[in-house]
Amino acid sequence: MTKKSAMSLFKTKEAAELCGYSERHMIRMRQMGEGPPYLRFGGRVLYRECDLEAWLCSKRVVPPREGEVLSTSKKVE
């Protein structure tokens, strides 16, 4: 028999703390169709740790290096 790893599940408040948001903000994002994926079991909302990590990683912004110019869609003539 293989050993299964336990899936870490978080309530909204716990997920919010992990992501650096207030519980209310997490609820608003969920209501607006934004924010990390979640599971709904009856009236319970739970977030998987792997979904929170993936969502946070998708928000990563790499600033340009000093002297680099950001590309724009406008042509300079």
Side-chain angles (χ1 to χ4, degrees):
M1 181 183 288
T2 60
K3 194 179 205 179
K4 291 185 178 180
S5 61
M7 183 187 312
S8 296
L9 297 173
F10 298 93
K11 294 178 182 178
T12 301
K13 185 175 182 176
E14 298 166 331
E17 289 173 4
L18 210 140
C19 294
Y21 292 110
S22 68
E23 181 179 11
R24 183 71 204 135
H25 188 74
M26 288 291 282
I27 292 168
R28 269 190 244 126
M29 285 193 298
R30 188 171 67 233
Q31 291 170 340
M32 299 290 290
E34 303 169 358
Y38 59 93
L39 305 169
R40 185 177 295 276
F41 296 103
R44 291 181 68 187
V45 173
L46 298 172
Y47 294 87
R48 296 186 317 169
E49 183 177 24
C50 61
D51 289 335
L52 293 172
E53 288 175 1
W55 183 75
L56 287 171
C57 286
S58 75
K59 299 298 179 194
R60 182 173 182 248
V61 176
V62 179
R65 294 182 185 170
E66 189 175 330
E68 281 186 2
V69 178
L70 295 174
S71 62
T72 61
S73 58
K74 294 182 180 179
K75 289 186 178 180
V76 178
E77 295 182 28

